[in-house]
mmCIF file of all heavy atoms in Angstrom:
data_model
loop_
_atom_site.group_PDB
_atom_site.id
_atom_site.type_symbol
_atom_site.label_atom_id
_atom_site.label_comp_id
_atom_site.label_asym_id
_atom_site.label_seq_id
_atom_site.Cartn_x
_atom_site.Cartn_y
_atom_site.Cartn_z
ATOM 1 N N PHE A 296 -118.762 78.357 14.275
ATOM 2 C CA PHE A 296 -119.703 78.435 15.393
ATOM 3 C C PHE A 296 -120.930 77.581 15.066
ATOM 4 O O PHE A 296 -121.440 77.611 13.944
ATOM 5 C CB PHE A 296 -120.121 79.883 15.646
ATOM 6 C CG PHE A 296 -118.974 80.768 16.087
ATOM 7 C CD1 PHE A 296 -118.207 81.457 15.147
ATOM 8 C CD2 PHE A 296 -118.663 80.924 17.420
ATOM 9 C CE1 PHE A 296 -117.167 82.273 15.527
ATOM 10 C CE2 PHE A 296 -117.612 81.745 17.818
ATOM 11 C CZ PHE A 296 -116.861 82.420 16.870
ATOM 12 N N THR A 297 -121.394 76.863 16.083
ATOM 13 C CA THR A 297 -122.552 75.977 15.891
ATOM 14 C C THR A 297 -123.510 76.138 17.066
ATOM 15 O O THR A 297 -123.059 76.166 18.229
ATOM 16 C CB THR A 297 -122.106 74.511 15.800
ATOM 17 O OG1 THR A 297 -121.112 74.377 14.784
ATOM 18 C CG2 THR A 297 -123.276 73.605 15.466
ATOM 19 N N LEU A 298 -124.811 76.217 16.767
ATOM 20 C CA LEU A 298 -125.841 76.236 17.803
ATOM 21 C C LEU A 298 -126.327 74.801 17.975
ATOM 22 O O LEU A 298 -127.065 74.279 17.147
ATOM 23 C CB LEU A 298 -126.997 77.149 17.392
ATOM 24 C CG LEU A 298 -128.118 77.336 18.412
ATOM 25 C CD1 LEU A 298 -127.615 78.049 19.663
ATOM 26 C CD2 LEU A 298 -129.283 78.106 17.788
ATOM 27 N N THR A 299 -125.858 74.155 19.037
ATOM 28 C CA THR A 299 -126.206 72.746 19.236
ATOM 29 C C THR A 299 -127.505 72.549 20.005
ATOM 30 O O THR A 299 -128.066 71.448 20.000
ATOM 31 C CB THR A 299 -125.067 72.033 19.975
ATOM 32 O OG1 THR A 299 -124.818 72.708 21.218
ATOM 33 C CG2 THR A 299 -123.791 72.028 19.134
ATOM 34 N N LYS A 300 -128.001 73.597 20.659
ATOM 35 C CA LYS A 300 -129.272 73.503 21.376
ATOM 36 C C LYS A 300 -129.887 74.892 21.473
ATOM 37 O O LYS A 300 -129.185 75.861 21.772
ATOM 38 C CB LYS A 300 -129.075 72.927 22.774
ATOM 39 C CG LYS A 300 -130.367 72.687 23.548
ATOM 40 C CD LYS A 300 -130.079 72.149 24.930
ATOM 41 C CE LYS A 300 -129.495 70.740 24.854
ATOM 42 N NZ LYS A 300 -129.364 70.145 26.213
ATOM 43 N N GLY A 301 -131.183 74.995 21.214
ATOM 44 C CA GLY A 301 -131.873 76.283 21.281
ATOM 45 C C GLY A 301 -133.322 76.150 20.842
ATOM 46 O O GLY A 301 -133.733 75.117 20.288
ATOM 47 N N PRO A 302 -134.136 77.183 21.060
ATOM 48 C CA PRO A 302 -135.554 77.138 20.675
ATOM 49 C C PRO A 302 -135.725 77.192 19.154
ATOM 50 O O PRO A 302 -134.809 77.569 18.415
ATOM 51 C CB PRO A 302 -136.123 78.373 21.334
ATOM 52 C CG PRO A 302 -134.978 79.314 21.459
ATOM 53 C CD PRO A 302 -133.780 78.458 21.688
ATOM 54 N N VAL A 303 -136.891 76.804 18.731
ATOM 55 C CA VAL A 303 -137.208 76.837 17.297
ATOM 56 C C VAL A 303 -137.134 78.266 16.788
ATOM 57 O O VAL A 303 -137.654 79.194 17.409
ATOM 58 C CB VAL A 303 -138.609 76.243 17.044
ATOM 59 C CG1 VAL A 303 -138.980 76.364 15.576
ATOM 60 C CG2 VAL A 303 -138.674 74.800 17.506
ATOM 61 N N GLY A 304 -136.447 78.432 15.648
ATOM 62 C CA GLY A 304 -136.349 79.759 15.047
ATOM 63 C C GLY A 304 -135.053 80.476 15.391
ATOM 64 O O GLY A 304 -134.715 81.484 14.754
ATOM 65 N N MET A 305 -134.298 80.016 16.409
ATOM 66 C CA MET A 305 -133.034 80.669 16.776
ATOM 67 C C MET A 305 -131.943 80.220 15.800
ATOM 68 O O MET A 305 -131.836 79.047 15.462
ATOM 69 C CB MET A 305 -132.640 80.323 18.212
ATOM 70 C CG MET A 305 -131.334 80.969 18.649
ATOM 71 S SD MET A 305 -130.925 80.636 20.387
ATOM 72 C CE MET A 305 -132.054 81.761 21.204
ATOM 73 N N THR A 306 -131.122 81.174 15.329
ATOM 74 C CA THR A 306 -130.058 80.879 14.366
ATOM 75 C C THR A 306 -128.723 81.462 14.844
ATOM 76 O O THR A 306 -128.687 82.356 15.700
ATOM 77 C CB THR A 306 -130.386 81.464 12.991
ATOM 78 O OG1 THR A 306 -130.483 82.906 13.104
ATOM 79 C CG2 THR A 306 -131.691 80.910 12.434
ATOM 80 N N ILE A 307 -127.631 80.947 14.249
ATOM 81 C CA ILE A 307 -126.292 81.467 14.539
ATOM 82 C C ILE A 307 -125.519 81.524 13.236
ATOM 83 O O ILE A 307 -125.598 80.616 12.403
ATOM 84 C CB ILE A 307 -125.559 80.602 15.585
ATOM 85 C CG1 ILE A 307 -124.214 81.246 15.985
ATOM 86 C CG2 ILE A 307 -125.324 79.187 15.066
ATOM 87 C CD1 ILE A 307 -123.526 80.560 17.170
ATOM 88 N N ASP A 308 -124.777 82.586 13.022
ATOM 89 C CA ASP A 308 -123.904 82.708 11.861
ATOM 90 C C ASP A 308 -122.652 81.873 12.125
ATOM 91 O O ASP A 308 -121.906 82.128 13.077
ATOM 92 C CB ASP A 308 -123.529 84.166 11.643
ATOM 93 C CG ASP A 308 -122.817 84.393 10.316
ATOM 94 O OD1 ASP A 308 -121.843 83.662 10.036
ATOM 95 O OD2 ASP A 308 -123.221 85.306 9.567
ATOM 96 N N SER A 309 -122.382 80.860 11.313
ATOM 97 C CA SER A 309 -121.277 79.931 11.566
ATOM 98 C C SER A 309 -119.908 80.588 11.489
ATOM 99 O O SER A 309 -118.944 80.084 12.064
ATOM 100 C CB SER A 309 -121.340 78.766 10.575
ATOM 101 O OG SER A 309 -121.193 79.235 9.246
ATOM 102 N N LYS A 310 -119.804 81.721 10.798
ATOM 103 C CA LYS A 310 -118.509 82.389 10.662
ATOM 104 C C LYS A 310 -118.314 83.503 11.681
ATOM 105 O O LYS A 310 -117.210 83.664 12.223
ATOM 106 C CB LYS A 310 -118.358 82.955 9.252
ATOM 107 C CG LYS A 310 -118.267 81.869 8.180
ATOM 108 C CD LYS A 310 -118.044 82.498 6.809
ATOM 109 C CE LYS A 310 -117.900 81.408 5.738
ATOM 110 N NZ LYS A 310 -117.676 81.989 4.391
ATOM 111 N N THR A 311 -119.389 84.272 11.949
ATOM 112 C CA THR A 311 -119.243 85.409 12.865
ATOM 113 C C THR A 311 -119.659 85.080 14.289
ATOM 114 O O THR A 311 -119.231 85.737 15.237
ATOM 115 C CB THR A 311 -120.077 86.597 12.374
ATOM 116 O OG1 THR A 311 -121.481 86.248 12.426
ATOM 117 C CG2 THR A 311 -119.697 86.964 10.952
ATOM 118 N N GLY A 312 -120.512 84.067 14.470
ATOM 119 C CA GLY A 312 -120.992 83.710 15.800
ATOM 120 C C GLY A 312 -122.140 84.545 16.296
ATOM 121 O O GLY A 312 -122.465 84.510 17.487
ATOM 122 N N LEU A 313 -122.849 85.276 15.411
ATOM 123 C CA LEU A 313 -123.977 86.121 15.833
ATOM 124 C C LEU A 313 -125.251 85.274 15.907
ATOM 125 O O LEU A 313 -125.641 84.631 14.937
ATOM 126 C CB LEU A 313 -124.165 87.270 14.852
ATOM 127 C CG LEU A 313 -125.347 88.210 15.146
ATOM 128 C CD1 LEU A 313 -125.158 88.901 16.495
ATOM 129 C CD2 LEU A 313 -125.512 89.231 14.010
ATOM 130 N N ILE A 314 -125.913 85.309 17.098
ATOM 131 C CA ILE A 314 -127.174 84.581 17.324
ATOM 132 C C ILE A 314 -128.330 85.575 17.238
ATOM 133 O O ILE A 314 -128.273 86.663 17.819
ATOM 134 C CB ILE A 314 -127.165 83.891 18.703
ATOM 135 C CG1 ILE A 314 -126.114 82.774 18.752
ATOM 136 C CG2 ILE A 314 -128.552 83.326 19.036
ATOM 137 C CD1 ILE A 314 -126.011 82.085 20.083
ATOM 138 N N LYS A 315 -129.406 85.158 16.572
ATOM 139 C CA LYS A 315 -130.621 85.972 16.480
ATOM 140 C C LYS A 315 -131.843 85.074 16.676
ATOM 141 O O LYS A 315 -131.842 83.907 16.268
ATOM 142 C CB LYS A 315 -130.710 86.674 15.123
ATOM 143 C CG LYS A 315 -129.720 87.815 14.953
ATOM 144 C CD LYS A 315 -129.973 88.571 13.650
ATOM 145 C CE LYS A 315 -129.035 89.775 13.526
ATOM 146 N NZ LYS A 315 -129.297 90.557 12.288
ATOM 147 N N TRP A 316 -132.886 85.694 17.279
ATOM 148 C CA TRP A 316 -134.151 84.964 17.487
ATOM 149 C C TRP A 316 -135.291 85.958 17.625
ATOM 150 O O TRP A 316 -135.310 86.778 18.537
ATOM 151 C CB TRP A 316 -134.052 84.091 18.733
ATOM 152 C CG TRP A 316 -135.281 83.257 18.979
ATOM 153 C CD1 TRP A 316 -136.067 82.674 18.047
ATOM 154 C CD2 TRP A 316 -135.839 82.949 20.261
ATOM 155 N NE1 TRP A 316 -137.092 81.997 18.635
ATOM 156 C CE2 TRP A 316 -136.968 82.136 20.009
ATOM 157 C CE3 TRP A 316 -135.512 83.247 21.579
ATOM 158 C CZ2 TRP A 316 -137.786 81.640 21.037
ATOM 159 C CZ3 TRP A 316 -136.309 82.748 22.592
ATOM 160 C CH2 TRP A 316 -137.420 81.945 22.319
ATOM 161 N N ALA A 317 -136.194 85.859 16.680
ATOM 162 C CA ALA A 317 -137.420 86.674 16.748
ATOM 163 C C ALA A 317 -138.493 85.826 17.427
ATOM 164 O O ALA A 317 -138.902 84.789 16.904
ATOM 165 C CB ALA A 317 -137.867 87.101 15.354
ATOM 166 N N PHE A 318 -138.974 86.237 18.568
ATOM 167 C CA PHE A 318 -139.904 85.436 19.362
ATOM 168 C C PHE A 318 -141.256 86.163 19.503
ATOM 169 O O PHE A 318 -141.379 87.359 19.200
ATOM 170 C CB PHE A 318 -139.316 85.153 20.744
ATOM 171 C CG PHE A 318 -138.895 86.395 21.479
ATOM 172 C CD1 PHE A 318 -139.816 87.128 22.228
ATOM 173 C CD2 PHE A 318 -137.586 86.867 21.404
ATOM 174 C CE1 PHE A 318 -139.422 88.280 22.891
ATOM 175 C CE2 PHE A 318 -137.198 88.011 22.059
ATOM 176 C CZ PHE A 318 -138.112 88.733 22.808
ATOM 177 N N THR A 319 -142.214 85.416 20.029
ATOM 178 C CA THR A 319 -143.551 85.974 20.316
ATOM 179 C C THR A 319 -143.911 85.612 21.745
ATOM 180 O O THR A 319 -143.182 84.870 22.415
ATOM 181 C CB THR A 319 -144.605 85.407 19.348
ATOM 182 O OG1 THR A 319 -144.700 83.997 19.542
ATOM 183 C CG2 THR A 319 -144.228 85.719 17.895
ATOM 184 N N GLU A 320 -145.069 86.084 22.201
ATOM 185 C CA GLU A 320 -145.478 85.836 23.582
ATOM 186 C C GLU A 320 -145.686 84.349 23.854
ATOM 187 O O GLU A 320 -145.523 83.888 24.995
ATOM 188 C CB GLU A 320 -146.772 86.605 23.901
ATOM 189 C CG GLU A 320 -146.564 88.111 23.989
ATOM 190 C CD GLU A 320 -147.817 88.818 24.472
ATOM 191 O OE1 GLU A 320 -148.791 88.122 24.838
ATOM 192 O OE2 GLU A 320 -147.797 90.058 24.520
#
Side-chain angles (χ1 to χ4, degrees):
F296 296 90
T297 306
L298 183 65
T299 57
K300 185 181 292 187
V303 176
M305 180 176 284
T306 62
I307 186 171
D308 190 309
S309 62
K310 293 183 178 180
T311 65
L313 178 62
I314 294 178
K315 288 187 176 182
W316 183 36
F318 54 85
T319 63
E320 289 187 6

